[in-house]
mmCIF file of all heavy atoms in Angstrom:
data_model
loop_
_atom_site.group_PDB
_atom_site.id
_atom_site.type_symbol
_atom_site.label_atom_id
_atom_site.label_comp_id
_atom_site.label_asym_id
_atom_site.label_seq_id
_atom_site.Cartn_x
_atom_site.Cartn_y
_atom_site.Cartn_z
ATOM 1 N N ILE D 1454 4.604 6.689 -4.523
ATOM 2 C CA ILE D 1454 5.880 6.111 -4.299
ATOM 3 C C ILE D 1454 6.271 5.102 -5.286
ATOM 4 O O ILE D 1454 5.462 4.257 -5.657
ATOM 5 C CB ILE D 1454 5.967 5.614 -2.785
ATOM 6 C CG1 ILE D 1454 5.780 6.717 -1.795
ATOM 7 C CG2 ILE D 1454 7.298 4.855 -2.554
ATOM 8 C CD1 ILE D 1454 5.768 6.201 -0.308
ATOM 9 N N ASP D 1455 7.555 5.199 -5.782
ATOM 10 C CA ASP D 1455 8.055 4.142 -6.660
ATOM 11 C C ASP D 1455 7.873 2.813 -6.246
ATOM 12 O O ASP D 1455 8.092 2.538 -5.040
ATOM 13 C CB ASP D 1455 9.549 4.506 -6.977
ATOM 14 C CG ASP D 1455 10.001 3.631 -8.196
ATOM 15 O OD1 ASP D 1455 9.863 4.069 -9.380
ATOM 16 O OD2 ASP D 1455 10.671 2.587 -7.976
ATOM 17 N N GLU D 1456 7.541 1.909 -7.182
ATOM 18 C CA GLU D 1456 7.338 0.478 -6.805
ATOM 19 C C GLU D 1456 8.471 -0.183 -6.199
ATOM 20 O O GLU D 1456 8.446 -1.055 -5.504
ATOM 21 C CB GLU D 1456 6.829 -0.296 -8.072
ATOM 22 C CG GLU D 1456 5.427 0.182 -8.586
ATOM 23 C CD GLU D 1456 5.057 -0.618 -9.889
ATOM 24 O OE1 GLU D 1456 5.838 -1.577 -10.231
ATOM 25 O OE2 GLU D 1456 4.005 -0.282 -10.411
ATOM 26 N N GLY D 1457 9.763 0.369 -6.567
ATOM 27 C CA GLY D 1457 10.972 -0.226 -6.032
ATOM 28 C C GLY D 1457 11.094 -0.138 -4.584
ATOM 29 O O GLY D 1457 11.756 -1.080 -3.932
ATOM 30 N N ILE D 1458 10.507 0.801 -3.931
ATOM 31 C CA ILE D 1458 10.662 1.023 -2.511
ATOM 32 C C ILE D 1458 9.324 0.890 -1.760
ATOM 33 O O ILE D 1458 9.332 1.152 -0.449
ATOM 34 C CB ILE D 1458 11.341 2.243 -2.092
ATOM 35 C CG1 ILE D 1458 10.651 3.575 -2.498
ATOM 36 C CG2 ILE D 1458 12.835 2.287 -2.665
ATOM 37 C CD1 ILE D 1458 11.157 4.777 -2.003
ATOM 38 N N ARG D 1459 8.246 0.787 -2.617
ATOM 39 C CA ARG D 1459 6.933 0.946 -1.893
ATOM 40 C C ARG D 1459 6.744 -0.284 -0.827
ATOM 41 O O ARG D 1459 6.235 -0.011 0.253
ATOM 42 C CB ARG D 1459 5.844 0.794 -2.991
ATOM 43 C CG ARG D 1459 4.443 0.834 -2.484
ATOM 44 C CD ARG D 1459 3.431 0.738 -3.626
ATOM 45 N NE ARG D 1459 3.478 1.812 -4.492
ATOM 46 C CZ ARG D 1459 2.910 1.748 -5.714
ATOM 47 N NH1 ARG D 1459 2.194 0.693 -6.113
ATOM 48 N NH2 ARG D 1459 2.909 2.777 -6.608
ATOM 49 N N GLU D 1460 7.173 -1.518 -1.223
ATOM 50 C CA GLU D 1460 7.055 -2.643 -0.252
ATOM 51 C C GLU D 1460 7.667 -2.191 1.107
ATOM 52 O O GLU D 1460 7.210 -2.552 2.165
ATOM 53 C CB GLU D 1460 7.491 -3.855 -0.930
ATOM 54 C CG GLU D 1460 7.267 -5.038 -0.002
ATOM 55 C CD GLU D 1460 7.495 -6.326 -0.884
ATOM 56 O OE1 GLU D 1460 7.788 -6.267 -2.023
ATOM 57 O OE2 GLU D 1460 7.428 -7.426 -0.211
ATOM 58 N N GLU D 1461 8.967 -1.646 0.902
ATOM 59 C CA GLU D 1461 9.738 -1.312 2.130
ATOM 60 C C GLU D 1461 8.900 -0.336 3.049
ATOM 61 O O GLU D 1461 8.890 -0.367 4.233
ATOM 62 C CB GLU D 1461 11.137 -0.786 1.786
ATOM 63 C CG GLU D 1461 11.852 -0.137 2.856
ATOM 64 C CD GLU D 1461 13.055 0.694 2.313
ATOM 65 O OE1 GLU D 1461 13.459 0.522 1.259
ATOM 66 O OE2 GLU D 1461 13.577 1.495 3.164
ATOM 67 N N VAL D 1462 8.376 0.615 2.441
ATOM 68 C CA VAL D 1462 7.666 1.689 3.105
ATOM 69 C C VAL D 1462 6.367 1.172 3.763
ATOM 70 O O VAL D 1462 6.146 1.423 4.925
ATOM 71 C CB VAL D 1462 7.194 2.866 2.116
ATOM 72 C CG1 VAL D 1462 6.263 3.880 2.743
ATOM 73 C CG2 VAL D 1462 8.383 3.575 1.532
ATOM 74 N N LEU D 1463 5.612 0.240 3.027
ATOM 75 C CA LEU D 1463 4.510 -0.259 3.639
ATOM 76 C C LEU D 1463 4.734 -1.244 4.857
ATOM 77 O O LEU D 1463 4.086 -1.216 5.753
ATOM 78 C CB LEU D 1463 3.673 -1.107 2.557
ATOM 79 C CG LEU D 1463 3.054 -0.466 1.364
ATOM 80 C CD1 LEU D 1463 2.528 -1.279 0.436
ATOM 81 C CD2 LEU D 1463 2.020 0.576 1.897
ATOM 82 N N ALA D 1464 5.947 -1.872 4.714
ATOM 83 C CA ALA D 1464 6.321 -2.843 5.786
ATOM 84 C C ALA D 1464 6.623 -2.019 7.127
ATOM 85 O O ALA D 1464 6.559 -2.617 8.153
ATOM 86 C CB ALA D 1464 7.430 -3.646 5.422
ATOM 87 N N SER D 1465 7.065 -0.788 6.886
ATOM 88 C CA SER D 1465 7.501 0.037 8.009
ATOM 89 C C SER D 1465 6.344 0.819 8.749
ATOM 90 O O SER D 1465 6.600 1.362 9.777
ATOM 91 C CB SER D 1465 8.484 1.113 7.625
ATOM 92 O OG SER D 1465 7.897 2.038 6.826
ATOM 93 N N LEU D 1466 5.079 0.726 8.184
ATOM 94 C CA LEU D 1466 3.985 1.437 8.745
ATOM 95 C C LEU D 1466 3.282 0.495 9.729
ATOM 96 O O LEU D 1466 3.062 -0.606 9.378
ATOM 97 C CB LEU D 1466 3.036 1.885 7.564
ATOM 98 C CG LEU D 1466 3.630 3.000 6.631
ATOM 99 C CD1 LEU D 1466 2.636 3.250 5.644
ATOM 100 C CD2 LEU D 1466 4.099 4.223 7.327
ATOM 101 N N PRO D 1467 2.783 1.107 10.738
ATOM 102 C CA PRO D 1467 1.979 0.288 11.642
ATOM 103 C C PRO D 1467 0.609 -0.106 10.966
ATOM 104 O O PRO D 1467 0.061 0.657 10.130
ATOM 105 C CB PRO D 1467 1.525 1.301 12.841
ATOM 106 C CG PRO D 1467 2.628 2.290 12.736
ATOM 107 C CD PRO D 1467 3.020 2.408 11.335
ATOM 108 N N PRO D 1468 0.008 -1.247 11.247
ATOM 109 C CA PRO D 1468 -1.151 -1.781 10.589
ATOM 110 C C PRO D 1468 -2.294 -0.815 10.618
ATOM 111 O O PRO D 1468 -2.988 -0.671 9.626
ATOM 112 C CB PRO D 1468 -1.497 -3.098 11.236
ATOM 113 C CG PRO D 1468 -0.179 -3.464 11.876
ATOM 114 C CD PRO D 1468 0.611 -2.196 12.205
ATOM 115 N N GLU D 1469 -2.486 -0.062 11.705
ATOM 116 C CA GLU D 1469 -3.613 0.785 11.814
ATOM 117 C C GLU D 1469 -3.471 2.011 10.909
ATOM 118 O O GLU D 1469 -4.468 2.512 10.370
ATOM 119 C CB GLU D 1469 -3.904 1.149 13.277
ATOM 120 C CG GLU D 1469 -2.850 1.963 13.853
ATOM 121 C CD GLU D 1469 -1.713 1.193 14.603
ATOM 122 O OE1 GLU D 1469 -1.615 0.022 14.228
ATOM 123 O OE2 GLU D 1469 -0.886 1.827 15.224
ATOM 124 N N VAL D 1470 -2.253 2.441 10.765
ATOM 125 C CA VAL D 1470 -1.926 3.693 9.884
ATOM 126 C C VAL D 1470 -2.112 3.223 8.475
ATOM 127 O O VAL D 1470 -2.745 3.894 7.609
ATOM 128 C CB VAL D 1470 -0.495 4.081 10.064
ATOM 129 C CG1 VAL D 1470 -0.114 5.153 9.015
ATOM 130 C CG2 VAL D 1470 -0.231 4.598 11.472
ATOM 131 N N LEU D 1471 -1.660 1.984 8.101
ATOM 132 C CA LEU D 1471 -1.872 1.441 6.783
ATOM 133 C C LEU D 1471 -3.341 1.305 6.371
ATOM 134 O O LEU D 1471 -3.815 1.701 5.381
ATOM 135 C CB LEU D 1471 -1.076 0.273 6.553
ATOM 136 C CG LEU D 1471 -1.086 -0.401 5.218
ATOM 137 C CD1 LEU D 1471 -0.457 0.575 4.177
ATOM 138 C CD2 LEU D 1471 -0.276 -1.705 5.248
ATOM 139 N N ALA D 1472 -4.087 0.878 7.395
ATOM 140 C CA ALA D 1472 -5.542 0.651 7.220
ATOM 141 C C ALA D 1472 -6.232 2.010 7.032
ATOM 142 O O ALA D 1472 -7.125 2.089 5.928
ATOM 143 C CB ALA D 1472 -6.018 -0.088 8.326
ATOM 144 N N ASP D 1473 -5.944 2.989 7.746
ATOM 145 C CA ASP D 1473 -6.511 4.235 7.564
ATOM 146 C C ASP D 1473 -6.129 4.850 6.205
ATOM 147 O O ASP D 1473 -6.997 5.548 5.493
ATOM 148 C CB ASP D 1473 -6.129 5.205 8.578
ATOM 149 C CG ASP D 1473 -6.692 4.924 9.934
ATOM 150 O OD1 ASP D 1473 -7.746 4.191 9.923
ATOM 151 O OD2 ASP D 1473 -6.198 5.321 10.947
ATOM 152 N N ALA D 1474 -4.970 4.771 5.695
ATOM 153 C CA ALA D 1474 -4.408 5.186 4.491
ATOM 154 C C ALA D 1474 -5.187 4.592 3.316
ATOM 155 O O ALA D 1474 -5.479 5.340 2.293
ATOM 156 C CB ALA D 1474 -2.896 5.063 4.378
ATOM 157 N N VAL D 1475 -5.385 3.358 3.198
ATOM 158 C CA VAL D 1475 -5.972 2.686 2.075
ATOM 159 C C VAL D 1475 -7.529 2.849 2.073
ATOM 160 O O VAL D 1475 -8.168 2.776 0.955
ATOM 161 C CB VAL D 1475 -5.641 1.261 2.046
ATOM 162 C CG1 VAL D 1475 -4.107 0.978 1.916
ATOM 163 C CG2 VAL D 1475 -6.162 0.381 3.224
ATOM 164 N N ARG D 1476 -8.055 3.117 3.129
ATOM 165 C CA ARG D 1476 -9.612 3.263 3.124
ATOM 166 C C ARG D 1476 -10.094 4.485 2.305
ATOM 167 O O ARG D 1476 -11.195 4.428 1.805
ATOM 168 C CB ARG D 1476 -10.101 3.383 4.586
ATOM 169 C CG ARG D 1476 -10.079 2.097 5.385
ATOM 170 C CD ARG D 1476 -10.940 2.250 6.651
ATOM 171 N NE ARG D 1476 -10.748 1.029 7.430
ATOM 172 C CZ ARG D 1476 -10.023 1.123 8.552
ATOM 173 N NH1 ARG D 1476 -9.438 2.220 8.983
ATOM 174 N NH2 ARG D 1476 -9.918 0.013 9.325
ATOM 175 N N GLU D 1477 -9.249 5.438 2.165
ATOM 176 C CA GLU D 1477 -9.612 6.742 1.412
ATOM 177 C C GLU D 1477 -9.268 6.641 -0.026
ATOM 178 O O GLU D 1477 -9.526 7.582 -0.819
ATOM 179 C CB GLU D 1477 -8.802 7.853 1.968
ATOM 180 C CG GLU D 1477 -7.343 7.774 2.023
ATOM 181 C CD GLU D 1477 -6.606 8.832 2.745
ATOM 182 O OE1 GLU D 1477 -6.985 8.811 4.099
ATOM 183 O OE2 GLU D 1477 -5.904 9.542 2.322
ATOM 184 N N LEU D 1478 -8.769 5.509 -0.457
ATOM 185 C CA LEU D 1478 -8.346 5.346 -1.932
ATOM 186 C C LEU D 1478 -9.457 4.693 -2.725
ATOM 187 O O LEU D 1478 -10.384 3.992 -2.292
ATOM 188 C CB LEU D 1478 -7.159 4.463 -2.013
ATOM 189 C CG LEU D 1478 -5.853 5.120 -1.397
ATOM 190 C CD1 LEU D 1478 -4.744 3.915 -1.475
ATOM 191 C CD2 LEU D 1478 -5.444 6.224 -2.072
ATOM 192 N N ASP D 1479 -9.493 5.037 -4.129
ATOM 193 C CA ASP D 1479 -10.417 4.460 -4.997
ATOM 194 C C ASP D 1479 -9.868 3.015 -5.270
ATOM 195 O O ASP D 1479 -8.700 2.802 -5.007
ATOM 196 C CB ASP D 1479 -10.452 5.241 -6.328
ATOM 197 C CG ASP D 1479 -11.209 6.510 -6.189
ATOM 198 O OD1 ASP D 1479 -12.084 6.510 -5.335
ATOM 199 O OD2 ASP D 1479 -10.851 7.509 -6.966
ATOM 200 N N SER D 1480 -10.786 2.189 -5.751
ATOM 201 C CA SER D 1480 -10.368 0.754 -5.962
ATOM 202 C C SER D 1480 -9.172 0.573 -6.791
ATOM 203 O O SER D 1480 -8.394 -0.304 -6.616
ATOM 204 C CB SER D 1480 -11.606 -0.118 -6.488
ATOM 205 O OG SER D 1480 -11.999 0.479 -7.674
ATOM 206 N N ASP D 1481 -9.055 1.363 -7.944
ATOM 207 C CA ASP D 1481 -7.900 1.194 -8.870
ATOM 208 C C ASP D 1481 -6.714 1.451 -8.161
ATOM 209 O O ASP D 1481 -5.587 0.918 -8.454
ATOM 210 C CB ASP D 1481 -8.139 2.022 -10.119
ATOM 211 C CG ASP D 1481 -8.220 3.457 -9.783
ATOM 212 O OD1 ASP D 1481 -8.809 3.864 -8.765
ATOM 213 O OD2 ASP D 1481 -7.696 4.347 -10.546
ATOM 214 N N ASP D 1482 -6.594 2.510 -7.176
ATOM 215 C CA ASP D 1482 -5.401 2.836 -6.600
ATOM 216 C C ASP D 1482 -5.106 1.732 -5.544
ATOM 217 O O ASP D 1482 -3.785 1.487 -5.347
ATOM 218 C CB ASP D 1482 -5.638 4.148 -5.715
ATOM 219 C CG ASP D 1482 -5.674 5.294 -6.705
ATOM 220 O OD1 ASP D 1482 -5.081 5.300 -7.854
ATOM 221 O OD2 ASP D 1482 -6.465 6.290 -6.453
ATOM 222 N N VAL D 1483 -5.992 1.131 -4.966
ATOM 223 C CA VAL D 1483 -5.814 0.037 -3.999
ATOM 224 C C VAL D 1483 -5.067 -1.111 -4.848
ATOM 225 O O VAL D 1483 -4.163 -1.787 -4.298
ATOM 226 C CB VAL D 1483 -7.023 -0.483 -3.257
ATOM 227 C CG1 VAL D 1483 -6.672 -1.657 -2.344
ATOM 228 C CG2 VAL D 1483 -7.541 0.694 -2.460
ATOM 229 N N VAL D 1484 -5.690 -1.509 -5.897
ATOM 230 C CA VAL D 1484 -5.162 -2.536 -6.745
ATOM 231 C C VAL D 1484 -3.656 -2.296 -7.066
ATOM 232 O O VAL D 1484 -2.827 -3.106 -7.050
ATOM 233 C CB VAL D 1484 -6.021 -2.729 -7.990
ATOM 234 C CG1 VAL D 1484 -5.363 -3.743 -8.914
ATOM 235 C CG2 VAL D 1484 -7.370 -3.286 -7.593
ATOM 236 N N ASP D 1485 -3.375 -1.052 -7.592
ATOM 237 C CA ASP D 1485 -2.081 -0.629 -8.017
ATOM 238 C C ASP D 1485 -1.047 -0.674 -6.814
ATOM 239 O O ASP D 1485 0.042 -1.049 -6.925
ATOM 240 C CB ASP D 1485 -2.014 0.811 -8.493
ATOM 241 C CG ASP D 1485 -0.757 1.240 -8.959
ATOM 242 O OD1 ASP D 1485 -0.055 0.569 -9.784
ATOM 243 O OD2 ASP D 1485 -0.210 2.162 -8.390
ATOM 244 N N LEU D 1486 -1.633 -0.370 -5.604
ATOM 245 C CA LEU D 1486 -0.784 -0.392 -4.464
ATOM 246 C C LEU D 1486 -0.384 -1.863 -4.018
ATOM 247 O O LEU D 1486 0.755 -2.100 -3.593
ATOM 248 C CB LEU D 1486 -1.672 0.216 -3.223
ATOM 249 C CG LEU D 1486 -0.898 0.578 -2.076
ATOM 250 C CD1 LEU D 1486 0.251 1.701 -2.262
ATOM 251 C CD2 LEU D 1486 -1.846 1.068 -0.889
ATOM 252 N N ILE D 1487 -1.327 -2.815 -4.264
ATOM 253 C CA ILE D 1487 -1.047 -4.141 -3.545
ATOM 254 C C ILE D 1487 -0.657 -5.213 -4.547
ATOM 255 O O ILE D 1487 -0.239 -6.328 -4.147
ATOM 256 C CB ILE D 1487 -2.191 -4.658 -2.713
ATOM 257 C CG1 ILE D 1487 -3.463 -5.080 -3.621
ATOM 258 C CG2 ILE D 1487 -2.644 -3.537 -1.697
ATOM 259 C CD1 ILE D 1487 -4.571 -5.656 -2.825
ATOM 260 N N GLU D 1488 -0.828 -4.965 -5.895
ATOM 261 C CA GLU D 1488 -0.784 -6.161 -6.879
ATOM 262 C C GLU D 1488 0.667 -6.685 -6.852
ATOM 263 O O GLU D 1488 0.817 -7.882 -7.254
ATOM 264 C CB GLU D 1488 -1.168 -5.566 -8.236
ATOM 265 C CG GLU D 1488 -0.423 -4.530 -8.828
ATOM 266 C CD GLU D 1488 -0.884 -4.238 -10.279
ATOM 267 O OE1 GLU D 1488 -1.855 -4.968 -10.750
ATOM 268 O OE2 GLU D 1488 -0.600 -3.152 -10.849
ATOM 269 N N ASP D 1489 1.533 -6.016 -6.576
ATOM 270 C CA ASP D 1489 3.146 -6.411 -6.626
ATOM 271 C C ASP D 1489 3.613 -6.849 -5.190
ATOM 272 O O ASP D 1489 4.773 -7.079 -4.969
ATOM 273 C CB ASP D 1489 3.954 -5.353 -7.203
ATOM 274 C CG ASP D 1489 3.665 -5.078 -8.717
ATOM 275 O OD1 ASP D 1489 3.350 -6.084 -9.377
ATOM 276 O OD2 ASP D 1489 3.745 -3.951 -9.111
ATOM 277 N N LEU D 1490 2.785 -6.794 -4.209
ATOM 278 C CA LEU D 1490 3.164 -7.101 -2.880
ATOM 279 C C LEU D 1490 3.031 -8.653 -2.585
ATOM 280 O O LEU D 1490 2.387 -9.355 -3.253
ATOM 281 C CB LEU D 1490 2.225 -6.326 -1.813
ATOM 282 C CG LEU D 1490 2.341 -4.868 -1.876
ATOM 283 C CD1 LEU D 1490 1.375 -4.224 -0.850
ATOM 284 C CD2 LEU D 1490 3.794 -4.340 -1.692
ATOM 285 N N GLU D 1491 3.799 -9.059 -1.537
ATOM 286 C CA GLU D 1491 3.664 -10.376 -1.037
ATOM 287 C C GLU D 1491 2.353 -10.607 -0.414
ATOM 288 O O GLU D 1491 1.673 -9.672 0.054
ATOM 289 C CB GLU D 1491 4.838 -10.676 -0.020
ATOM 290 C CG GLU D 1491 6.165 -10.622 -0.577
ATOM 291 C CD GLU D 1491 6.441 -11.671 -1.652
ATOM 292 O OE1 GLU D 1491 5.804 -12.737 -1.736
ATOM 293 O OE2 GLU D 1491 7.296 -11.304 -2.646
ATOM 294 N N GLU D 1492 1.870 -11.788 -0.413
ATOM 295 C CA GLU D 1492 0.550 -12.140 0.151
ATOM 296 C C GLU D 1492 0.280 -11.725 1.554
ATOM 297 O O GLU D 1492 -0.860 -11.187 1.765
ATOM 298 C CB GLU D 1492 0.366 -13.718 -0.006
ATOM 299 C CG GLU D 1492 -1.105 -14.080 0.234
ATOM 300 C CD GLU D 1492 -1.485 -15.499 -0.058
ATOM 301 O OE1 GLU D 1492 -0.652 -16.158 -0.890
ATOM 302 O OE2 GLU D 1492 -2.434 -16.050 0.436
#
């Protein structure tokens, strides 16, 4: 998903869904996913 709307998408997902989604990612993909997000 484009970075411009990624934060909006992540904010709309339940925490448990988001947790399951990121567990299956390699570390570089997790870094790319969160580096531009708010703390």
